[in-house]
Amino acid sequence: MILIDQPYVSDFLIKTIKENQFPIVATSVAKSMITDDALNWISEKDAINQYNSNQNIRVYSNSENAINWIEQHLKNTELPKKIQLFKNKIAFRELLKDHFPEYFFKGIPINNLKDFPADELQFPLIIKPAVGFFSLAVHKIDTAKEWTEIINGIEAEVETFKDMYPKEVVNISDFIVEEYIDGEEYAVDCYFDKNGKVVVLNILHHIFSSSKDVSDRVYSTSQKIIETQLQKFENFLQIVGNKAQLKNFPMHVEVRINSQGKVIPIEINPLRFGGWCTTGDISWYAFEINSYNYFLNGKVPNWNEIFKNNSNKLFSLIVLDNNSGINANEIKSFNYDLLLKDFENPLEIRKVNYKKYGVFGFLFTQTSLENQQELNSILVSKLTNYIEK
């Protein structure tokens, strides 16, 4: 069954639900977002009864906002526990610490950050909310001096986004500090089947403009990326699945590969693929894999067959976060048409209420391998040339 919640559901996901007659839970939020009565709507009561009777039912949500519904209505099942095991980054680190015994991490309540002795920490490090989303309040800190500077600004920073998402999605009461992992970063959409075997649906390379960059600006997938990394990530993810005893469970995973070639987890986002229907949808553009259909019907990609007709171009997701330094309230408009002219083959632009969510939108693109400069340019852009004040 599918749980739909704010802030966004794509036309592609709605079409998938309709064509496959996947059961969709008729919450008030879902009904307000999707007005098509021809979908296979089931009442909340029926959904609760069905899941309580059979906890092997596959559940997918487009948004972590739906975690609240699950915690309220399925609290007597194992599902909320599985979700919190990954949603809380401290609990996640505890789960895997036997496999990464030398990895440094520490949970610190926000009220204790300013007084926490920096000499107890290992630099460089990453600090972020223990329960978070996007790159909200995520910082790389290289020295004890930087620690003081950044901690002093965190309270003001969280004021700018604390009301954007429910506490199940972003909770700033506790932060995690953990060692900085040097290496290439990747995002993986996958699920664990009825037998607990991992099935990878996509792998995206998350590129950065510098070692200080912690943004979510550019993610790219291609035949080469998947062929190079697939086996390595399957091996790692199977460890996670076995440790947490996962079955019929989808997730969006972020990892880095260090200089020794070891996969180090960053975080795991449970019960969904990329937020805002992003990485789940881009699999269709890139490989004609419908990730939602694959999970809900237990299908496995035949990569050899898929790559027979692949053009080996780069397919990218570009997150147009407001890194301009201009307050959203001072922005009159964003010129999406001008943005599209800067790309070889834009596939879809999703406009977002930037005053509410701090993001102008999401762009899906197809790029020739010899034209990667367009991705490098948007990676470092402050987007000011598209902004009208």
Side-chain angles (χ1 to χ4, degrees):
M1 68 178 69
I2 294 181
L3 281 162
I4 296 296
D5 213 313
Q6 294 286 358
Y8 178 84
V9 57
S10 70
D11 291 340
F12 180 73
L13 177 52
I14 295 171
K15 181 181 178 184
T16 299
I17 295 169
K18 188 170 185 176
E19 289 180 346
N20 292 273
Q21 282 296 288
F22 291 133
I24 175 173
V25 184
T27 64
S28 58
V29 176
K31 294 290 283 187
S32 71
M33 295 176 69
I34 306 174
T35 57
D36 191 343
D37 291 332
L39 270 59
N40 184 15
W41 294 101
I42 60 172
S43 70
E44 293 180 77
K45 182 179 179 181
D46 285 346
I48 295 164
N49 289 337
Q50 286 180 31
Y51 194 82
N52 284 331
S53 299
N54 179 13
Q55 295 185 32
N56 289 319
I57 291 175
R58 297 183 181 96
V59 178
Y60 182 83
S61 177
N62 67 311
S63 169
E64 291 183 1
N65 290 30
I67 294 174
N68 178 262
W69 188 93
I70 293 169
E71 291 185 342
Q72 283 188 34
H73 300 292
L74 303 179
K75 58 187 175 184
N76 295 322
T77 73
E78 289 295 309
L79 190 55
K81 297 175 186 176
K82 299 290 188 189
I83 291 170
Q84 287 306 321
L85 193 57
F86 297 109
K87 185 58 187 168
N88 186 304
K89 296 175 178 63
I90 299 171
F92 168 57
R93 289 293 177 202
E94 290 288 345
L95 174 73
L96 293 178
K97 67 180 181 181
D98 290 346
H99 291 278
F100 302 94
E102 298 178 357
Y103 186 84
F104 169 76
F105 70 94
K106 190 174 187 64
I108 306 175
I110 188 173
N111 294 332
N112 296 349
L113 284 175
K114 284 188 176 181
D115 297 325
F116 194 86
D119 56 6
E120 294 186 16
L121 301 172
Q122 298 178 20
F123 297 95
L125 57 78
I126 296 289
I127 183 169
K128 54 189 173 184
V131 177
F133 186 56
F134 272 160
S135 294
L136 300 173
V138 178
H139 295 275
K140 182 191 177 200
I141 305 179
D142 290 318
T143 64
K145 180 181 178 183
E146 279 190 6
W147 167 266
T148 302
E149 294 170 352
I150 288 173
I151 296 307
N152 285 338
I154 275 186
E155 286 185 6
E157 183 179 357
V158 298
E159 285 296 319
T160 65
F161 65 76
K162 68 177 185 178
D163 296 325
M164 287 183 183
Y165 301 95
K167 63 180 178 61
E168 291 82 11
V169 180
V170 179
N171 188 335
I172 48 83
S173 59
D174 291 286
F175 276 67
I176 182 171
V177 293
E178 53 188 352
E179 70 177 75
Y180 174 75
I181 307 161
D182 194 16
E184 294 300 306
E185 185 166 318
Y186 294 86
V188 184
D189 284 342
C190 67
Y191 74 90
F192 295 85
D193 69 12
K194 62 182 180 180
N195 299 313
K197 183 179 179 181
V198 69
V199 177
V200 171
L201 299 172
N202 199 1
I203 300 171
L204 300 101
H205 186 197
H206 184 187
I207 61 174
F208 297 93
S209 60
S210 69
S211 63
K212 277 292 192 182
D213 184 8
V214 293
S215 71
D216 291 321
R217 178 58 62 82
V218 178
Y219 294 81
S220 297
T221 188
S222 70
Q223 176 178 340
K224 182 179 179 180
I225 289 169
I226 291 178
E227 287 181 331
T228 304
Q229 307 299 344
L230 181 62
Q231 187 63 59
K232 188 178 297 185
F233 290 153
E234 284 180 339
N235 293 342
F236 162 72
L237 290 165
Q238 197 60 63
I239 292 172
V240 175
N242 294 345
K243 192 78 174 175
Q245 298 182 323
L246 300 178
K247 293 181 180 181
N248 295 324
F249 196 90
M251 56 173 53
H252 178 75
V253 184
E254 296 177 12
V255 300
R256 280 201 174 190
I257 300 178
N258 67 13
S259 56
Q260 288 78 45
K262 186 175 183 179
V263 178
I264 309 292
I266 298 173
E267 64 184 50
I268 290 180
N269 302 284
L271 227 63
R272 65 168 174 86
F273 305 133
W276 294 77
C277 296
T278 49
T279 59
D281 286 15
I282 203 172
S283 296
W284 180 257
Y285 285 122
F287 312 116
E288 293 190 356
I289 288 176
N290 187 322
S291 297
Y292 314 109
N293 188 3
Y294 270 58
F295 164 58
L296 291 163
N297 281 319
K299 298 171 64 176
V300 179
N302 183 334
W303 292 111
N304 290 333
E305 195 66 31
I306 289 167
F307 291 149
K308 280 183 179 179
N309 300 315
N310 193 269
S311 61
N312 206 25
K313 294 179 181 290
L314 281 171
F315 293 85
S316 300
L317 162 67
I318 297 165
V319 182
L320 301 167
D321 55 308
N322 183 7
N323 65 336
S324 65
I326 304 171
N327 188 289
N329 293 324
E330 299 175 6
I331 297 174
K332 182 179 178 182
S333 64
F334 187 89
N335 194 330
Y336 298 95
D337 292 334
L338 183 61
L339 171 80
L340 295 178
K341 291 178 181 178
D342 289 337
F343 290 89
E344 170 188 347
N345 188 10
L347 303 171
E348 180 183 351
I349 182 71
R350 293 179 179 169
K351 302 175 183 179
V352 172
N353 183 341
Y354 55 86
K355 294 185 186 295
K356 184 175 183 180
Y357 293 110
V359 180
F360 296 110
F362 300 88
L363 176 63
F364 296 76
T365 68
Q366 176 182 306
T367 304
S368 303
L369 294 180
E370 63 272 14
N371 191 30
Q372 294 183 51
Q373 181 54 42
E374 68 178 21
L375 300 177
N376 295 331
S377 295
I378 196 67
L379 178 64
V380 299
S381 174
K382 294 294 184 181
L383 305 180
T384 51
N385 51 319
Y386 310 117
I387 292 172
E388 182 181 350
K389 294 175 66 177

